[in-house]
Amino acid sequence: MEPGSSGSGSMEHREETGAHALTRRQLLRVLGAGAIAAGALSACLPGTQPTAGGPGAAPAGGQAPAVSTGAGNQLNIVQWSHFVPAYDKWFDQYVQDWGTKNKIQATVDHVPNLEMPARLAAEAAAKTGHDIIQFTGQVQTYRYEKLLVDVGDIVDAATKKWGDPIPYAKALGFINNSWRALPDHYIVIAPLVRDDLMQEIGSPKLETWDDVRQACAKLKAKGNAAGLAISNCNDANHNWRAIMWTFGASEVKEDGQTVNVDTKEFRDFLNFAKAFYSEAITPEVFAWDDASDNRWLGSGQGGFIHDAISSLRSIEQPNKDLFDKISIRPPLKGPAGQLTMPDANLYAIWDFAKNKEPAKQFLRDFMENWKESMVQSTGYDMPFYKNLFQKPMPVIGDSPKLQILQDFTGDLIHTFGNPGPPNAPAQEVLAAFHIPQIIGIYVRGNTSLEDTVKEAQSRLQPIYDKYKA
Amino acid sequence: MAVASRPYTSRGWSRKTTDRVLSYVALAFYILVAVFPIYWMAMTALKDDYDLVDVTVVPFWFGRPLTLEHFAYLFTNTRFATWLGNTFLISTFVVVITLVLCIPGAYALARLRFRGAENLGIGIFLTYIVPPTLLFLPMAQLVAALGLYNSKWGLVLVYPTFTIPFCLWLLAGFFRTVPIEIEEAALVDGCTRLQAVLRVVLPLSVAGILTAAIFAFTLGMQEFVYALTFVSTSGEKPVTLGVVTELIRGDVYFWGSLMAGALLAGVPVAVLYNFFLDHFVEGITGGALK
C-alpha cells in the first residue's frame, strides 16, 4: 500500500468516484518539476523585475550587467544599502543616466555597511571587482592605501566648488600627502532624548555625559533606562569612543603608534562607564546590536539613546506621537571637552580597476550633486566641505527638530584613532571591538580597575606593535 | 472504550501511561523548541511595525490587526522572486555536482580496499571543518581567475567544496551498510563492477542518496559568506544575500519583510523534508550502525 493511502476502502472510493487522487510520489514529482522549472525560469529570464522604485530595482534596461571584464566603457560601483531606500533608487537612476549620457555601461551594487569590509577584502585579494568602492563606517583608507588611486584632482575640484574639506574629512582621506579617497558624506551620531520623560523628572540640564547619567538614573527607576550598547557592534564603538574622548582619554597617542590606556584619564573614563552602566542602563545592552537602541527608543521605554537619526526616522511613520516627544541634543561634554564620532562614507577607486578614467569622471560629476544628495537622503548625509554648511542646510535647516544637526561639525567630530590618525592598527582595534569589550569587562564588576587597564594594554599593544614592524 | 473495558492493574496502567505521558511531554518540548522560531517568524512577518516593538502588548500574539504589507513589500520593492529562483537554481546544480562526484567517491572509500583509503576519507572530511571565513580570500582569487566573479555560477562552483566532503562521508557510511554479499552475488552472476553498483548498490542506497541530496540542497541554500564576497549584482544574488542587502539598511532592519522572506524561502524546504522524512531518517541512521 502506498504511504498516504488509507486502505482498500479508500481505493474503492476512488474507483467509484472516478477521482484521480495523487500519490505522494506523484505529488512530489509534480512539485519538484514545477519548483525547478519556476526557479530556473525566474533565474534565467529578466521577467521577474520588481516594480520601479524599489530598493532592489534594476536599471530600466533590465537585469544589471555583470562586473566589468572589459575596460574603458564600463563603470561598476559598490556602495552601502542606504538608510533610505528612496536614496538608493535616486542614486541608481543617477548612475544609469550618467552612463547613458557618457555612453558608458554604468552599474551600481549595494552591500550592507557591516558586510562591506569582507566584500572589499575579497576584491583586494582577487584584484578584481568594482571600479569605485565605498568605505562606510569602518573606513579602511590606510589599510588599502597602496591599492587605491590618488584622487587628489577630484578633491581639488570639490574644494574649488564647495570649499575646504573639514579636518575630519582630511583625517580619513588624506594619507602620506595624497588623497586616497573622496570624502562623500558622514552620518551624525547624536543624543536622542525623550523630552516628556525628562519633564517628569524636572527637566534637568543635559550638557554633559554626567548630567545624562544622573538624569537617566532617575529614568531607570521609572522603567525608562538609557540605552547604550556594550557589545560587538558599531554603535558601541562610536558611542564609547565619544565618551572616552570627552574624558581626555584615548586608546593611542597623537603619533598613532603609542598605546595610551595606562593613564589617569582612561581610568576616570572606565569608572564613569561603570557608574553609567550600573545607574542608568540595563544588562541587556551586552547583547545589543546596532538596531537594538532603535527598538528600545521605538518601544516607548527608552529615555535616552545616542545614535544616528535613523532611530528617530524609523519611529516617525509607525508612531508619530512618540516621534514628537523625542528631541536631538547638542554633542555632550565631558571633563576634557566635547566630541562625537560620526560614521563616515568615502569613495575610492581601486588601483587595479579596469575603468579608472570613467571612475574619476563619475566622481567628478557626482560631487556637483552633493546638495541634491543631501535632499535625497532626507537629511542623513552630512557634507564634508565647509561651504555646504551654510545655514539653512537642505532638509535639516528647515526642520525645527533636525536643524541642530547643522552644528555637528568642525572640532566637535573626530574619527577612530583620535587624537592620532585612523590608521591600520586603529582600524583593527575598531573592527575587533576591543574598546566596548574592555568596558564590558570592567562594568560587570568582576575585574579590578588595574586589571582592566592591564587587559586593555595587553590587547592593544600587540596590534600597534604588529604595524610598527 | 478499550481503556474502560480493560481492567486496570496498577502496575500495567501506570507503566504504560507514564511512558506515554513522558513520551508526549518530551515530544511537546521538542516540538516547542523546533517550531517556535517558525512561529515567531510567521508572527513577525504578519505584525505591523509598531506591534513589533510595543511592549504594552503580549509579544507572542497580535496586538493590532494582521498585515500582509511586509509580503507585499518583498515582492513589489525587492527582487525576491529572482533571488529565490537563483537559490533554487544554484542549490539544484550543487546537488547534481555533489552526487555525481560523491557517489563514486564514497563507493570507492567504502568498498575498494586501496592503501590509505581511510586516511584519505578522514582528510576529505577535515576540509569540511575549515570555515568559509578563512577560505573566501583564496577562493576569491580562484573564482576571479575563472571569470566567474559576480555570477551565480561562481557559487555553483564553490559550494560543492563544502557539500562534497560532508556528503562523501555520509554516503561512504551508508554504502558500508549494504551487505557486500549481495554485491558479490551480482558479480558471481555475471555483472561487472559498474553494473553491480548501478543495479544493486544504488537501488539499495536510495535513502542515503536522498539524504545527501537534501543536505547538499540545504547547505547550498543557507550559505552566506561566499555569496556576499563573490556576488554583488542584485540579479545574481541568492535569497540569503538578497534579503540582507535590501532589508538591512544601516541600523534600520525591515524585520517584517526579513521574516517574510525567510518564511517563504524556508517553507518549501520544510515541505521537502517532510515528504522524504522516512528516507531521511534511514539515511542518517544507516551509516551509524554496522
Side-chain angles (χ1 to χ4, degrees), chain A residues 42-43 48-51 55-56 58 63 67 81-83 88 109-110 119 121 125 130 290 294-295 299 307 310 319, chain B residues 50 53 76-79 81-82 86 137 141 144 149-150 228-233 237 245-246 249 251 255 275:
Chain A
S42 170
T48 49
Q49 307 296 335
T51 55
Q63 214 172 52
V67 163
S81 305
H82 197 280
F83 287 124
D88 283 350
D109 299 325
H110 297 276
R119 175 76 210 183
H130 296 82
D290 287 330
N294 296 16
R295 289 197 292 276
S299 70
D307 201 6
S310 49
N319 195 347
Chain B
Y50 186 52
V53 294
T76 56
N77 288 294
T78 75
R79 306 179 72 169
T82 305
N86 286 340
L137 287 177
Q141 292 171 324
Y149 217 70
N150 211 25
L228 168 73
T229 47
F230 300 158
V231 176
S232 57
T233 299
K237 288 175 183 173
T245 303
E246 304 291 349
R249 298 178 162 274
D251 60 358
W255 283 116
F275 274 120

Side-chain angles (χ1 to χ4, degrees), chain B residues 169-236:
Chain B
W169 194 259
L170 189 82
L171 279 173
F174 199 87
F175 285 147
R176 285 191 191 103
T177 66
V178 177
I180 196 164
E181 291 79 8
I182 300 176
E183 206 179 328
E184 285 169 350
L187 293 171
V188 168
D189 287 346
C191 279
T192 62
R193 172 75 74 175
L194 183 64
Q195 285 170 328
V197 171
L198 293 176
R199 293 181 181 179
V200 177
V201 179
L202 291 190
L204 287 172
S205 308
V206 168
I209 293 168
L210 274 175
T211 306
I214 291 174
F215 262 115
F217 193 86
T218 48
L219 284 172
M221 276 193 82
Q222 294 166 4
E223 206 285 327
F224 181 74
V225 173
Y226 290 137
L228 168 73
T229 47
F230 300 158
V231 176
S232 57
T233 299
S234 189
E236 296 288 305

Side-chain angles (χ1 to χ4, degrees), chain A residues 36 85 90 93 244 330 347 359 425 455:
Chain A
I36 290 168
W90 169 79
Q93 190 62 49
M244 180 168 72
Y347 284 117
E455 173 71 18

Side-chain angles (χ1 to χ4, degrees), chain A residues 347-364:
Chain A
Y347 284 117
I349 302 169
W350 284 127
D351 190 41
F352 51 78
K354 294 185 175 74
N355 309 289
K356 288 179 202 163
E357 277 317 306
K360 281 196 162 189
Q361 189 56 47
F362 174 84
L363 292 179
R364 228 175 262 126

Side-chain angles (χ1 to χ4, degrees), chain B residues 72-246:
Chain B
Y73 186 89
L74 206 57
F75 283 100
T76 56
N77 288 294
T78 75
R79 306 179 72 169
F80 183 74
T82 305
W83 302 331
L84 205 56
N86 286 340
T87 293
F88 279 101
L89 192 74
I90 292 165
S91 299
T92 303
F93 273 93
V94 168
V95 167
V96 172
I97 293 170
T98 303
L99 291 184
V100 164
L101 294 176
C102 281
I103 289 173
Y107 178 80
L109 284 177
R111 282 285 192 266
L112 307 182
R113 295 184 185 88
F114 57 93
R115 188 176 290 178
E118 194 173 337
N119 290 338
L120 184 67
I122 293 168
I124 291 170
F125 187 71
L126 283 177
T127 62
Y128 181 72
I129 297 169
V130 183
T133 42
L134 286 181
L135 285 177
F136 81 88
L137 287 177
M139 210 71 95
Q141 292 171 324
L142 185 71
V143 170
L146 293 170
L148 293 172
Y149 217 70
N150 211 25
S151 161
K152 53 180 167 284
W153 301 110
L155 302 182
V156 170
L157 176 77
V158 167
Y159 286 179
T161 60
F162 57 81
T163 58
I164 286 173
F166 185 81
C167 292
L168 193 76
W169 194 259
L170 189 82
L171 279 173
F174 199 87
F175 285 147
R176 285 191 191 103
T177 66
V178 177
I180 196 164
E181 291 79 8
I182 300 176
E183 206 179 328
E184 285 169 350
L187 293 171
V188 168
D189 287 346
C191 279
T192 62
R193 172 75 74 175
L194 183 64
Q195 285 170 328
V197 171
L198 293 176
R199 293 181 181 179
V200 177
V201 179
L202 291 190
L204 287 172
S205 308
V206 168
I209 293 168
L210 274 175
T211 306
I214 291 174
F215 262 115
F217 193 86
T218 48
L219 284 172
M221 276 193 82
Q222 294 166 4
E223 206 285 327
F224 181 74
V225 173
Y226 290 137
L228 168 73
T229 47
F230 300 158
V231 176
S232 57
T233 299
S234 189
E236 296 288 305
K237 288 175 183 173
V239 72
T240 45
L241 179 63
V243 292
V244 168
T245 303
E246 304 291 349

